[in-house]
Amino acid sequence: MLYNLLYPLSEYFSIFNVFKYITFRTAYAIITALVISLFITPILIKILKHLQLSQKTKGYEPERHKVKEGTPTMGGLGILLSALISTLLWADLRNIYIWVIVFVMFGTGLIGFFDDYIKTIKKNPEGLHPRGKFWGQVVVGTIAVVAIHFVDKSGYSSKLAFPFFKNLILDLGYFYILFGIFIIVGTSNAVNLTDGLDGLAIMPTVIAFGTFIIFAYVTGHAKISAYLQIINVQGAGEVSVFCGAMVGAGLGFLWFNAYPASLFMGDVGSLPLGATLGTVAIITKHEIVLAIVGGVFVLETISVMLQVGFFKMTKGKRLFRMAPIHHHFELKGWSEPKIIVRFWIISFILALIALSTLKLR
Ligand code: 57M
């Protein structure tokens, strides 16, 4: 909004020229979201505590989780609000990609909200029926992927680029719609599965959005994308501003979610964080690279698939002590902060590997 309001004034006051730069607006989107998040989250904690919006544990979690009962949840509302305000302030509001992302954030946030509502207010620990949740995500994902296809001017919206192979671009045609929905729904659920220890989901999410600040910027930049021999998507650079807002909002949330957490994000946080990350990967044509950047989420999801598959095949035997895999390490006796920080380190290294794909081709 500031771009739309103030940049035209640069004709009279050259200082407003600075609003033209995505780098400047992204930096301030990070700071703005961080400040808002740090300011509103303590208020949110007070309100959630007053309303007693905490979740009952299901009873089968590692023993240590008993002490977490009573911790307020739905802190994701603070992440969404801070990121939204900051994005609306700093992004070019004529950019349709921004509105597609805001739509995904709102749509999946609503699904997460209903899930949390049932868990906390209705005191039903099972939450929304998994099928209802899934189809809700599919509807949001479909609308987003179709909208991105219509906005695209690059001609690459149904195409898939492969990291490390500059000439390998596969045209998926209409199958891209299914693939795109899979990315959005899959990432949304993967972040949700990861959200089982303090700070375990938010920091890898912050690292992933931080990495996508760079991917979005270079993909949207005609010259840099040509130099790096990656797909150029007109308007994708603006997505950096949104990614910056998510980094700031996420760090603000982490302040309170750090071990021992005073607040959990709830599904109202985890579902939109993952879904918007998937949407950003689709817009910036870095869908496969997302699997590297978000490797921790992939690992957590695969651990569940292997555990469930093995359990069914062997009629009751387990591959891990418990899935998702962070519970396995808990039951092995690792302390919670040790698991969390080690997963952060892995995320950071994966982000560096993902960034290296820009040059290694
Ligand atoms: C969310 N939610 C946390 C909090 C958070 C198919 C199956 C693997 C699904 C999976 C599942 O339900 N995952 C989704 C997990 C819960 O956190 C709330 O949920 C929100 C995210 N949706 O924001 O509001 C608990 O996680 C802990 N927590 C923290 N710090 C945080 O910052 O400590 C969360 C955030 C919180 C708190 O204790 O109450 C959750 O774990 O319920 N199911 C599982 O993950 C279950 N695994 C399982 O059943 N494994 C079996 C299967 C695969 C065969 C096995 O291995 O044998 C685990 N669920 C629970 N405990 N509750 C097992 C351990």
Side-chain angles (χ1 to χ4, degrees):
M1 189 195 294
L2 293 176
Y3 169 82
N4 307 93
L5 291 177
L6 300 178
Y7 180 57
L9 299 179
S10 62
E11 228 178 278
Y12 313 102
F13 308 98
S14 60
I15 178 111
F16 290 127
N17 231 332
V18 76
F19 285 95
K20 182 172 76 179
Y21 300 106
I22 289 175
T23 42
F24 168 79
R25 287 186 284 116
T26 301
Y28 277 88
I30 299 175
I31 296 169
T32 309
L34 176 64
V35 171
I36 298 175
S37 183
L38 287 173
F39 180 73
I40 63 173
T41 309
I43 302 171
L44 191 63
I45 294 176
K46 270 197 195 129
I47 297 173
L48 293 169
K49 270 193 176 155
H50 180 73
L51 296 174
Q52 294 191 322
L53 293 190
S54 62
Q55 193 178 315
K56 278 238 154 287
T57 48
K58 290 178 190 161
Y60 47 72
E61 44 278 294
E63 221 20 59
R64 305 185 193 151
H65 283 253
K66 291 274 181 288
V67 294
K68 291 169 183 272
E69 208 156 295
T71 309
T73 183
M74 288 169 103
L77 284 172
I79 307 179
L80 300 191
L81 194 64
S82 327
L84 184 69
I85 297 173
S86 177
T87 304
L88 295 182
L89 272 179
W90 294 103
D92 174 1
L93 298 185
R94 293 166 308 176
N95 185 297
I96 306 289
Y97 290 134
I98 293 293
W99 292 108
V100 172
I101 297 172
V102 167
F103 164 75
V104 170
M105 194 182 191
F106 188 75
T108 49
L110 209 60
I111 299 168
F113 180 83
F114 279 125
D115 193 38
D116 291 336
Y117 174 84
I118 295 171
K119 284 178 190 158
T120 55
I121 296 179
K122 297 267 177 208
K123 301 285 175 212
N124 174 0
E126 297 307 325
L128 202 64
H129 194 282
R131 222 178 294 150
K133 212 159 146 180
F134 173 76
W135 285 110
Q137 289 170 309
V138 169
V139 170
V140 175
T142 311
I143 297 173
V145 179
V146 172
I148 292 167
H149 177 72
F150 281 111
V151 174
D152 176 67
K153 292 191 189 91
S154 69
Y156 281 105
S157 67
S158 64
K159 295 184 180 139
L160 188 61
F162 287 81
F164 303 113
F165 303 97
K166 68 176 173 206
N167 294 322
L168 187 56
I169 293 179
L170 217 65
D171 192 351
L172 300 183
Y174 285 117
F175 279 111
Y176 189 90
I177 297 180
L178 283 182
F179 177 72
I181 297 167
F182 168 74
I183 298 280
I184 295 175
V185 176
T187 318
S188 181
N189 289 321
V191 173
N192 187 31
L193 280 180
T194 309
D195 192 25
L197 295 179
D198 301 350
L200 187 69
I202 195 63
M203 192 56 181
T205 312
V206 165
I207 293 174
F209 275 112
T211 312
F212 269 96
I213 290 179
I214 300 171
F215 285 134
Y217 185 78
V218 295
T219 307
H221 199 292
K223 281 188 190 150
I224 302 179
S225 59
Y227 167 70
L228 292 170
Q229 298 181 303
I230 57 169
I231 294 175
N232 173 228
V233 180
Q234 211 183 320
E238 207 57 36
V239 172
S240 294
V241 180
F242 169 77
C243 293
M246 285 305 249
V247 168
L251 287 175
F253 172 76
L254 178 62
W255 191 271
F256 303 95
N257 182 237
Y259 180 85
S262 353
L263 175 72
F264 299 152
M265 67 170 83
D267 282 32
V268 71
S270 60
L271 297 185
L273 282 184
T276 50
L277 184 61
T279 311
V280 166
I282 290 172
I283 295 171
T284 57
K285 305 306 298 168
H286 276 80
E287 305 89 336
I288 295 186
V289 178
L290 172 66
I292 306 175
V293 182
V296 161
F297 306 131
V298 176
L299 182 82
E300 293 271 17
T301 309
I302 290 177
S303 75
V304 170
M305 287 158 73
L306 288 176
Q307 178 88 329
V308 175
F310 194 78
F311 190 87
K312 281 187 181 158
M313 254 168 50
T314 57
K315 299 198 170 48
K317 282 201 180 123
R318 285 184 162 82
L319 199 58
F320 304 107
R321 295 189 184 186
M322 192 183 269
I325 202 160
H326 52 261
H327 291 312
H328 172 79
F329 294 118
E330 274 194 293
L331 293 175
K332 271 185 82 170
W334 292 20
S335 71
E336 186 169 342
K338 183 163 266 176
I339 304 169
I340 298 160
V341 174
R342 286 187 172 166
F343 275 50
W344 289 359
I345 296 171
I346 296 171
S347 284
F348 183 69
I349 293 167
L350 289 171
L352 291 179
I353 296 173
L355 282 172
S356 76
T357 65
L358 285 174
K359 263 297 184 190
L360 292 179
R361 54 180 68 223

